[in-house]
Amino acid sequence: MDNLPNINQELPGAESTEQRIFDAARELFVQKGLDGAKMQEIADRAGINKALLHYYYRSKEKLYEMVAKAVINRAFPVIRQLVESEEPLEQKIARFIDFYIELISKNTFIPLFIITELNKHPDRFFETIFPTDLPKPEVFFRQVEEEIARGNIRPIKPQHLLINIVALCVFPFVAKPMLRVVLGLSQAEINQFLAERKEEVKRFVFQAIKP
Amino acid sequence: MDNLPNINQELPGAESTEQRIFDAARELFVQKGLDGAKMQEIADRAGINKALLHYYYRSKEKLYEMVAKAVINRAFPVIRQLVESEEPLEQKIARFIDFYIELISKNTFIPLFIITELNKHPDRFFETIFPTDLPKPEVFFRQVEEEIARGNIRPIKPQHLLINIVALCVFPFVAKPMLRVVLGLSQAEINQFLAERKEEVKRFVFQAIKP
DNA sequence: GTCTATATAACGATAGAC
DNA sequence: GTCTATCGTTATATAGAC
């Protein structure tokens, strides 16, 4: 029953029409949102006719829902793996930061898409595209409590620590154009700046939780 | 020449038609974006006819530009004041965090609106709605360098420190719906959690920059 | 200034030929 | 499965009466 189009393998030439439509829709919905993306534009990018969009996906809403579902269900399990692993806390945090920043660098628009979707269409999110395997932060929380009890890190609510780490990883990429505006950086300087984030965030976080 | 509608003073009953239109447009554009907001809806909320929108603001694009300009030109000077003040660094950071989080709590949709605008319409932003008085971070940067030289804080690039602070303040509010999804918090717990952010961010930042 | 009525274009969606 | 042609609606925008 799982004929959800696979957004991973993009074999540009050899794809099925259904897949090509889906890929085009994903790019445009992620970039422009539900209202901003137009069916004609999606058809053009997929190299097919407008009518075919409805043949395969019935309506714009349905197509959008499948795209949103796919994007979110692809992003969350990756994060889940990181959050739920049982490796020692310090190592886990370091790996999380490295991997997470790497992930965002390669998918710049995804975080903003997810944030926007959750803020503007919370109903649809919770009713139809709610991810099946959410990251369960309990393991992480327990580890933090244990390290605090052992005196290895200072007291801090695990929820705050988690959101702090995510904020430090995600925000600079989401606010990328602001770097140019406020810090007055050139495009090259911005990329250089963002490339430094992995090490910077790790230093900042580890120092912040020292006993 | 500055007949830019003033979005500060909202005297709900006694406003001019022009102002009522502007306020309605601002609310809807900020909530739904350029494509999501409809002229009919704006007219309805302003309690006037659709034709009047064009009488006062010519086109949807023009109206949107004025709204975006006003929102951004109102938000930035506030931040500017905080960033440019000459008070001692530690005190300044504390005040920045307190004030900034307070500001966001009361204007939840503004950060996401600005982020979206900068990401989706960078051309328009830089060509027409670029703010007149940008926050100049040089004072802040110099202060950080000085404190590092004095050995009062550990070495850190001032740019990273600034973006880290902003990230810790802004992100949890932008990602508010995610708190429910990932942390499994109820609405009351979310509000409680966000209320703790002022103290949490201050602790986190000060600890992170200790020598 | 404010309204009703309408022009004009774009959009999502469908019918029907091949 | 893919196309052309077109329907029905809604969107922005304008004309013209008051």
Side-chain angles (χ1 to χ4, degrees), chain B residues 6-60:
Chain B
N6 181 353
I7 65 172
N8 291 350
Q9 52 189 78
E10 291 191 30
L11 312 166
E15 289 169 325
S16 68
T17 300
E18 188 172 4
Q19 184 63 39
R20 293 226 315 286
I21 292 173
F22 189 85
D23 292 339
R26 179 171 47 85
E27 286 187 43
L28 287 169
F29 280 139
V30 165
Q31 262 188 51
K32 307 188 171 188
L34 172 58
D35 300 307
K38 303 301 173 189
M39 294 294 263
Q40 183 61 60
E41 212 182 346
I42 296 173
D44 290 347
R45 175 171 297 226
I48 50 88
N49 193 276
K50 231 172 36 171
L52 272 185
L53 299 182
H54 295 90
Y55 175 80
Y56 282 108
Y57 295 96
R58 267 190 52 86
S59 72
K60 187 185 183 182

Side-chain angles (χ1 to χ4, degrees), chain A residues 31 35-36 115 119-120 134 156-157 160 163-164 174 179 181 193 196-197 200 204 207-208 210, chain B residues 31 35-36 115 119-120 134 156-157 159-160 163-164 174 179 181 193 196-197 200 204 207-208 210:
Chain A
Q31 261 187 50
D35 300 309
I115 288 170
N119 272 285
K120 312 253 159 155
L134 276 170
I156 181 174
K157 274 201 189 176
H160 281 296
I163 203 86
N164 287 353
V174 173
L179 300 177
V181 178
F193 181 81
E196 295 165 1
R197 290 298 298 174
E200 165 58 28
F204 199 83
Q207 168 93 17
K210 269 204 309 211
Chain B
Q31 262 188 51
D35 300 307
I115 288 171
N119 272 286
K120 312 253 158 153
L134 278 169
I156 181 173
K157 276 201 187 175
Q159 289 90 343
H160 282 296
I163 203 84
N164 287 353
V174 173
L179 299 176
V181 178
F193 181 82
E196 296 165 359
R197 290 299 298 176
E200 164 58 28
F204 200 83
Q207 168 93 16
K210 269 205 308 209

Side-chain angles (χ1 to χ4, degrees), chain A residues 79-149:
Chain A
I79 300 166
R80 182 179 175 181
Q81 257 200 327
L82 292 171
V83 174
E84 295 184 11
S85 101
E86 279 281 2
E87 64 189 325
L89 186 64
E90 186 171 345
Q91 182 183 331
K92 178 167 162 175
I93 290 177
R95 218 164 59 85
F96 180 90
I97 292 168
D98 282 335
F99 195 94
Y100 201 42
I101 289 182
E102 184 70 22
L103 188 70
I104 298 166
S105 326
K106 292 180 180 159
N107 302 275
T108 345
F109 282 104
I110 304 297
L112 190 54
F113 174 78
I114 294 176
I115 288 170
T116 307
E117 173 63 27
L118 255 72
N119 272 285
K120 312 253 159 155
H121 316 288
D123 294 347
R124 169 170 45 217
F125 180 85
F126 286 106
E127 283 164 22
T128 69
I129 63 180
F130 196 80
T132 47
D133 49 354
L134 276 170
K136 301 254 187 314
E138 283 77 19
V139 175
F140 177 82
F141 290 170
R142 178 173 47 74
Q143 287 180 305
V144 172
E145 305 281 17
E146 282 170 8
E147 293 300 298
I148 294 171

Side-chain angles (χ1 to χ4, degrees), chain A residues 2-3 49 62 110 165 173 179 184:
Chain A
D2 183 14
N3 60 350
N49 193 276
K62 282 277 171 205
I110 304 297
I165 294 172
F173 288 88
L179 300 177

